[in-house]
mmCIF file of all heavy atoms in Angstrom:
data_model
loop_
_atom_site.group_PDB
_atom_site.id
_atom_site.type_symbol
_atom_site.label_atom_id
_atom_site.label_comp_id
_atom_site.label_asym_id
_atom_site.label_seq_id
_atom_site.Cartn_x
_atom_site.Cartn_y
_atom_site.Cartn_z
ATOM 1 N N CYS Q 1 92.831 94.548 86.775
ATOM 2 C CA CYS Q 1 94.090 94.267 86.146
ATOM 3 C C CYS Q 1 93.881 93.018 85.312
ATOM 4 O O CYS Q 1 93.648 91.919 85.886
ATOM 5 C CB CYS Q 1 95.200 94.075 87.166
ATOM 6 S SG CYS Q 1 96.793 93.622 86.521
ATOM 7 N N ALA Q 2 93.964 93.170 83.998
ATOM 8 C CA ALA Q 2 93.786 92.024 83.098
ATOM 9 C C ALA Q 2 95.178 91.536 82.657
ATOM 10 O O ALA Q 2 95.972 92.341 82.171
ATOM 11 C CB ALA Q 2 92.963 92.430 81.891
ATOM 12 N N LEU Q 3 95.397 90.250 82.799
ATOM 13 C CA LEU Q 3 96.690 89.675 82.455
ATOM 14 C C LEU Q 3 96.559 88.729 81.274
ATOM 15 O O LEU Q 3 95.573 87.981 81.190
ATOM 16 C CB LEU Q 3 97.301 88.949 83.671
ATOM 17 C CG LEU Q 3 97.535 89.751 84.863
ATOM 18 C CD1 LEU Q 3 96.375 89.687 85.861
ATOM 19 C CD2 LEU Q 3 98.855 89.277 85.574
ATOM 20 N N SER Q 4 97.561 88.736 80.406
ATOM 21 C CA SER Q 4 97.530 87.834 79.265
ATOM 22 C C SER Q 4 98.953 87.403 78.949
ATOM 23 O O SER Q 4 99.943 88.053 79.367
ATOM 24 C CB SER Q 4 96.920 88.524 78.034
ATOM 25 O OG SER Q 4 97.679 89.647 77.621
ATOM 26 N N GLY Q 5 99.089 86.288 78.303
ATOM 27 C CA GLY Q 5 100.395 85.811 77.849
ATOM 28 C C GLY Q 5 101.047 84.796 78.862
ATOM 29 O O GLY Q 5 102.112 84.320 78.571
ATOM 30 N N PHE Q 6 100.428 84.574 79.984
ATOM 31 C CA PHE Q 6 100.932 83.617 80.953
ATOM 32 C C PHE Q 6 99.786 83.154 81.818
ATOM 33 O O PHE Q 6 98.723 83.760 81.842
ATOM 34 C CB PHE Q 6 102.079 84.229 81.752
ATOM 35 C CG PHE Q 6 101.645 85.316 82.714
ATOM 36 C CD1 PHE Q 6 101.399 85.067 84.034
ATOM 37 C CD2 PHE Q 6 101.476 86.597 82.236
ATOM 38 C CE1 PHE Q 6 101.018 86.106 84.901
ATOM 39 C CE2 PHE Q 6 101.073 87.620 83.046
ATOM 40 C CZ PHE Q 6 100.851 87.354 84.401
ATOM 41 N N THR Q 7 100.075 82.055 82.603
ATOM 42 C CA THR Q 7 99.057 81.547 83.471
ATOM 43 C C THR Q 7 99.086 82.239 84.790
ATOM 44 O O THR Q 7 100.140 82.312 85.458
ATOM 45 C CB THR Q 7 99.256 80.017 83.710
ATOM 46 O OG1 THR Q 7 99.202 79.376 82.460
ATOM 47 C CG2 THR Q 7 98.187 79.457 84.642
ATOM 48 N N LEU Q 8 97.973 82.842 85.204
ATOM 49 C CA LEU Q 8 97.928 83.619 86.393
ATOM 50 C C LEU Q 8 98.107 82.840 87.695
ATOM 51 O O LEU Q 8 98.556 83.331 88.676
ATOM 52 C CB LEU Q 8 96.571 84.383 86.470
ATOM 53 C CG LEU Q 8 96.337 85.330 87.605
ATOM 54 C CD1 LEU Q 8 97.352 86.451 87.642
ATOM 55 C CD2 LEU Q 8 94.931 85.934 87.507
ATOM 56 N N ASP Q 9 97.771 81.565 87.625
ATOM 57 C CA ASP Q 9 97.702 80.686 88.845
ATOM 58 C C ASP Q 9 98.972 80.692 89.655
ATOM 59 O O ASP Q 9 98.905 80.527 90.919
ATOM 60 C CB ASP Q 9 97.384 79.258 88.429
ATOM 61 C CG ASP Q 9 96.078 79.125 87.659
ATOM 62 O OD1 ASP Q 9 95.655 80.107 87.057
ATOM 63 O OD2 ASP Q 9 95.558 77.985 87.666
ATOM 64 N N TYR Q 10 100.141 80.866 89.068
ATOM 65 C CA TYR Q 10 101.399 80.670 89.737
ATOM 66 C C TYR Q 10 101.997 81.956 90.297
ATOM 67 O O TYR Q 10 103.031 81.913 90.970
ATOM 68 C CB TYR Q 10 102.423 80.044 88.810
ATOM 69 C CG TYR Q 10 101.949 78.730 88.245
ATOM 70 C CD1 TYR Q 10 101.554 78.616 86.910
ATOM 71 C CD2 TYR Q 10 101.946 77.595 89.046
ATOM 72 C CE1 TYR Q 10 101.171 77.397 86.389
ATOM 73 C CE2 TYR Q 10 101.526 76.381 88.544
ATOM 74 C CZ TYR Q 10 101.146 76.257 87.222
ATOM 75 O OH TYR Q 10 100.748 75.068 86.741
ATOM 76 N N TYR Q 11 101.339 83.086 90.183
ATOM 77 C CA TYR Q 11 101.972 84.364 90.500
ATOM 78 C C TYR Q 11 101.126 85.210 91.443
ATOM 79 O O TYR Q 11 99.913 85.192 91.394
ATOM 80 C CB TYR Q 11 102.244 85.172 89.243
ATOM 81 C CG TYR Q 11 103.132 84.443 88.245
ATOM 82 C CD1 TYR Q 11 102.617 83.760 87.185
ATOM 83 C CD2 TYR Q 11 104.510 84.396 88.489
ATOM 84 C CE1 TYR Q 11 103.432 83.050 86.303
ATOM 85 C CE2 TYR Q 11 105.314 83.711 87.601
ATOM 86 C CZ TYR Q 11 104.781 83.039 86.517
ATOM 87 O OH TYR Q 11 105.609 82.366 85.656
ATOM 88 N N ALA Q 12 101.841 85.893 92.324
ATOM 89 C CA ALA Q 12 101.232 86.922 93.127
ATOM 90 C C ALA Q 12 101.061 88.202 92.289
ATOM 91 O O ALA Q 12 101.810 88.486 91.391
ATOM 92 C CB ALA Q 12 102.070 87.216 94.364
ATOM 93 N N ILE Q 13 100.053 88.954 92.627
ATOM 94 C CA ILE Q 13 99.787 90.235 92.003
ATOM 95 C C ILE Q 13 99.743 91.358 93.030
ATOM 96 O O ILE Q 13 99.075 91.274 94.007
ATOM 97 C CB ILE Q 13 98.476 90.234 91.186
ATOM 98 C CG1 ILE Q 13 98.437 89.074 90.192
ATOM 99 C CG2 ILE Q 13 98.268 91.571 90.463
ATOM 100 C CD1 ILE Q 13 99.519 89.172 89.102
ATOM 101 N N GLY Q 14 100.534 92.377 92.725
ATOM 102 C CA GLY Q 14 100.556 93.560 93.597
ATOM 103 C C GLY Q 14 99.935 94.756 92.936
ATOM 104 O O GLY Q 14 100.045 94.923 91.722
ATOM 105 N N TRP Q 15 99.351 95.626 93.746
ATOM 106 C CA TRP Q 15 98.889 96.933 93.331
ATOM 107 C C TRP Q 15 99.805 97.966 93.936
ATOM 108 O O TRP Q 15 100.092 97.950 95.161
ATOM 109 C CB TRP Q 15 97.441 97.227 93.730
ATOM 110 C CG TRP Q 15 96.429 96.551 92.869
ATOM 111 C CD1 TRP Q 15 95.748 95.395 93.109
ATOM 112 C CD2 TRP Q 15 95.962 97.016 91.597
ATOM 113 N NE1 TRP Q 15 94.915 95.106 92.079
ATOM 114 C CE2 TRP Q 15 95.010 96.103 91.125
ATOM 115 C CE3 TRP Q 15 96.253 98.113 90.805
ATOM 116 C CZ2 TRP Q 15 94.322 96.239 89.916
ATOM 117 C CZ3 TRP Q 15 95.580 98.275 89.595
ATOM 118 C CH2 TRP Q 15 94.630 97.326 89.179
ATOM 119 N N PHE Q 16 100.201 98.969 93.166
ATOM 120 C CA PHE Q 16 101.075 100.033 93.581
ATOM 121 C C PHE Q 16 100.503 101.337 93.160
ATOM 122 O O PHE Q 16 99.647 101.397 92.290
ATOM 123 C CB PHE Q 16 102.513 99.825 92.973
ATOM 124 C CG PHE Q 16 103.185 98.571 93.411
ATOM 125 C CD1 PHE Q 16 102.862 97.383 92.756
ATOM 126 C CD2 PHE Q 16 104.112 98.598 94.407
ATOM 127 C CE1 PHE Q 16 103.472 96.184 93.105
ATOM 128 C CE2 PHE Q 16 104.762 97.392 94.826
ATOM 129 C CZ PHE Q 16 104.438 96.249 94.114
ATOM 130 N N ARG Q 17 100.957 102.427 93.793
ATOM 131 C CA ARG Q 17 100.504 103.719 93.382
ATOM 132 C C ARG Q 17 101.635 104.731 93.544
ATOM 133 O O ARG Q 17 102.569 104.585 94.379
ATOM 134 C CB ARG Q 17 99.311 104.214 94.187
ATOM 135 C CG ARG Q 17 99.618 104.453 95.644
ATOM 136 C CD ARG Q 17 98.299 104.721 96.390
ATOM 137 N NE ARG Q 17 98.551 104.947 97.819
ATOM 138 C CZ ARG Q 17 97.583 104.991 98.751
ATOM 139 N NH1 ARG Q 17 96.316 104.857 98.370
ATOM 140 N NH2 ARG Q 17 97.894 105.192 100.021
ATOM 141 N N GLN Q 18 101.575 105.763 92.721
ATOM 142 C CA GLN Q 18 102.549 106.851 92.833
ATOM 143 C C GLN Q 18 101.778 108.219 92.753
ATOM 144 O O GLN Q 18 101.130 108.466 91.739
ATOM 145 C CB GLN Q 18 103.638 106.779 91.728
ATOM 146 C CG GLN Q 18 104.715 107.779 91.902
ATOM 147 C CD GLN Q 18 105.897 107.551 90.974
ATOM 148 O OE1 GLN Q 18 105.787 106.824 90.002
ATOM 149 N NE2 GLN Q 18 107.053 108.077 91.331
ATOM 150 N N ALA Q 19 101.854 108.968 93.836
ATOM 151 C CA ALA Q 19 101.215 110.234 93.928
ATOM 152 C C ALA Q 19 102.208 111.320 93.491
ATOM 153 O O ALA Q 19 103.379 111.086 93.487
ATOM 154 C CB ALA Q 19 100.715 110.518 95.353
ATOM 155 N N PRO Q 20 101.680 112.485 93.089
ATOM 156 C CA PRO Q 20 102.563 113.576 92.635
ATOM 157 C C PRO Q 20 103.585 113.913 93.732
ATOM 158 O O PRO Q 20 103.240 114.129 94.920
ATOM 159 C CB PRO Q 20 101.597 114.739 92.438
ATOM 160 C CG PRO Q 20 100.284 114.051 92.039
ATOM 161 C CD PRO Q 20 100.228 112.815 92.950
ATOM 162 N N GLY Q 21 104.851 113.966 93.349
ATOM 163 C CA GLY Q 21 105.921 114.313 94.237
ATOM 164 C C GLY Q 21 106.341 113.267 95.227
ATOM 165 O O GLY Q 21 107.167 113.504 96.071
ATOM 166 N N LYS Q 22 105.807 112.035 95.061
ATOM 167 C CA LYS Q 22 106.140 110.951 96.020
ATOM 168 C C LYS Q 22 106.632 109.764 95.227
ATOM 169 O O LYS Q 22 106.393 109.589 94.029
ATOM 170 C CB LYS Q 22 104.906 110.571 96.800
ATOM 171 C CG LYS Q 22 104.353 111.656 97.742
ATOM 172 C CD LYS Q 22 103.219 111.149 98.573
ATOM 173 C CE LYS Q 22 102.711 112.225 99.511
ATOM 174 N NZ LYS Q 22 101.570 111.761 100.328
ATOM 175 N N GLU Q 23 107.322 108.881 95.988
ATOM 176 C CA GLU Q 23 107.793 107.649 95.372
ATOM 177 C C GLU Q 23 106.675 106.654 95.269
ATOM 178 O O GLU Q 23 105.676 106.749 95.988
ATOM 179 C CB GLU Q 23 108.944 107.077 96.194
ATOM 180 C CG GLU Q 23 110.197 107.851 96.263
ATOM 181 C CD GLU Q 23 111.301 107.227 97.044
ATOM 182 O OE1 GLU Q 23 111.048 106.177 97.645
ATOM 183 O OE2 GLU Q 23 112.437 107.743 97.031
ATOM 184 N N ARG Q 24 106.852 105.688 94.396
ATOM 185 C CA ARG Q 24 105.836 104.623 94.252
ATOM 186 C C ARG Q 24 105.830 103.771 95.492
ATOM 187 O O ARG Q 24 106.859 103.457 96.092
ATOM 188 C CB ARG Q 24 106.161 103.746 93.039
ATOM 189 C CG ARG Q 24 105.156 102.666 92.772
ATOM 190 C CD ARG Q 24 105.475 102.045 91.415
ATOM 191 N NE ARG Q 24 106.802 101.458 91.365
ATOM 192 C CZ ARG Q 24 107.445 101.152 90.233
ATOM 193 N NH1 ARG Q 24 106.876 101.459 89.032
ATOM 194 N NH2 ARG Q 24 108.660 100.663 90.296
ATOM 195 N N GLU Q 25 104.622 103.425 95.950
ATOM 196 C CA GLU Q 25 104.467 102.636 97.153
ATOM 197 C C GLU Q 25 103.552 101.446 96.891
ATOM 198 O O GLU Q 25 102.676 101.478 96.062
ATOM 199 C CB GLU Q 25 103.892 103.506 98.291
ATOM 200 C CG GLU Q 25 102.524 104.008 98.016
ATOM 201 C CD GLU Q 25 101.925 104.767 99.225
ATOM 202 O OE1 GLU Q 25 102.425 104.568 100.378
ATOM 203 O OE2 GLU Q 25 101.001 105.535 98.997
ATOM 204 N N GLY Q 26 103.756 100.408 97.675
ATOM 205 C CA GLY Q 26 102.903 99.227 97.584
ATOM 206 C C GLY Q 26 101.599 99.517 98.277
ATOM 207 O O GLY Q 26 101.519 100.065 99.399
ATOM 208 N N VAL Q 27 100.487 99.116 97.662
ATOM 209 C CA VAL Q 27 99.167 99.295 98.211
ATOM 210 C C VAL Q 27 98.600 97.984 98.742
ATOM 211 O O VAL Q 27 98.071 97.952 99.870
ATOM 212 C CB VAL Q 27 98.193 99.885 97.134
ATOM 213 C CG1 VAL Q 27 96.756 100.009 97.707
ATOM 214 C CG2 VAL Q 27 98.691 101.210 96.659
ATOM 215 N N SER Q 28 98.732 96.941 97.958
ATOM 216 C CA SER Q 28 98.141 95.637 98.315
ATOM 217 C C SER Q 28 98.782 94.536 97.472
ATOM 218 O O SER Q 28 99.342 94.821 96.399
ATOM 219 C CB SER Q 28 96.628 95.658 98.114
ATOM 220 O OG SER Q 28 96.042 94.440 98.545
ATOM 221 N N CYS Q 29 98.686 93.318 97.978
ATOM 222 C CA CYS Q 29 99.167 92.191 97.252
ATOM 223 C C CYS Q 29 98.319 90.974 97.560
ATOM 224 O O CYS Q 29 97.795 90.837 98.680
ATOM 225 C CB CYS Q 29 100.620 91.886 97.620
ATOM 226 S SG CYS Q 29 101.425 90.583 96.634
ATOM 227 N N ILE Q 30 98.158 90.083 96.607
ATOM 228 C CA ILE Q 30 97.406 88.883 96.759
ATOM 229 C C ILE Q 30 98.238 87.705 96.273
ATOM 230 O O ILE Q 30 98.907 87.779 95.221
ATOM 231 C CB ILE Q 30 96.051 88.934 96.040
ATOM 232 C CG1 ILE Q 30 95.150 87.691 96.354
ATOM 233 C CG2 ILE Q 30 96.239 89.085 94.524
ATOM 234 C CD1 ILE Q 30 93.710 87.922 95.943
ATOM 235 N N SER Q 31 98.268 86.601 97.020
ATOM 236 C CA SER Q 31 99.046 85.452 96.656
ATOM 237 C C SER Q 31 98.470 84.754 95.454
ATOM 238 O O SER Q 31 97.365 85.032 95.003
ATOM 239 C CB SER Q 31 99.168 84.488 97.850
ATOM 240 O OG SER Q 31 97.893 84.016 98.239
ATOM 241 N N SER Q 32 99.211 83.730 94.920
ATOM 242 C CA SER Q 32 98.804 83.068 93.709
ATOM 243 C C SER Q 32 97.459 82.387 93.813
ATOM 244 O O SER Q 32 96.694 82.426 92.818
ATOM 245 C CB SER Q 32 99.877 82.054 93.343
ATOM 246 O OG SER Q 32 100.034 81.063 94.352
ATOM 247 N N THR Q 33 97.128 81.874 94.970
ATOM 248 C CA THR Q 33 95.835 81.172 95.197
ATOM 249 C C THR Q 33 94.761 82.117 95.696
ATOM 250 O O THR Q 33 93.565 81.761 95.733
ATOM 251 C CB THR Q 33 95.946 80.012 96.126
ATOM 252 O OG1 THR Q 33 96.307 80.491 97.436
ATOM 253 C CG2 THR Q 33 97.041 79.026 95.655
ATOM 254 N N GLY Q 34 95.154 83.290 96.137
ATOM 255 C CA GLY Q 34 94.226 84.215 96.785
ATOM 256 C C GLY Q 34 94.047 83.944 98.294
ATOM 257 O O GLY Q 34 93.245 84.670 98.906
ATOM 258 N N ALA Q 35 94.732 82.999 98.826
ATOM 259 C CA ALA Q 35 94.611 82.652 100.197
ATOM 260 C C ALA Q 35 95.141 83.726 101.123
ATOM 261 O O ALA Q 35 94.671 83.912 102.254
ATOM 262 C CB ALA Q 35 95.281 81.329 100.534
ATOM 263 N N ASN Q 36 96.197 84.434 100.734
ATOM 264 C CA ASN Q 36 96.808 85.450 101.506
ATOM 265 C C ASN Q 36 96.737 86.781 100.807
ATOM 266 O O ASN Q 36 96.979 86.900 99.613
ATOM 267 C CB ASN Q 36 98.291 85.079 101.789
ATOM 268 C CG ASN Q 36 98.411 83.814 102.589
ATOM 269 O OD1 ASN Q 36 97.701 83.631 103.575
ATOM 270 N ND2 ASN Q 36 99.310 82.920 102.184
#
């Protein structure tokens, strides 16, 4: 996931997925520092 237009340091990033016939679900998340 490549981000542009803002500083990444302050934000958490989540990965989500949506399979056919299903609602979007959260897969993973990482905190702003990567500690969590």
Side-chain angles (χ1 to χ4, degrees):
C1 177
L3 299 94
S4 63
F6 67 100
T7 301
L8 182 61
D9 302 23
Y10 302 107
Y11 301 100
I13 304 296
W15 282 99
F16 299 81
R17 67 186 178 193
Q18 186 167 20
K22 297 183 178 180
E23 295 183 354
R24 184 170 59 200
E25 64 175 340
V27 176
S28 183
C29 186
I30 187 166
S31 63
S32 59
T33 65
N36 296 315

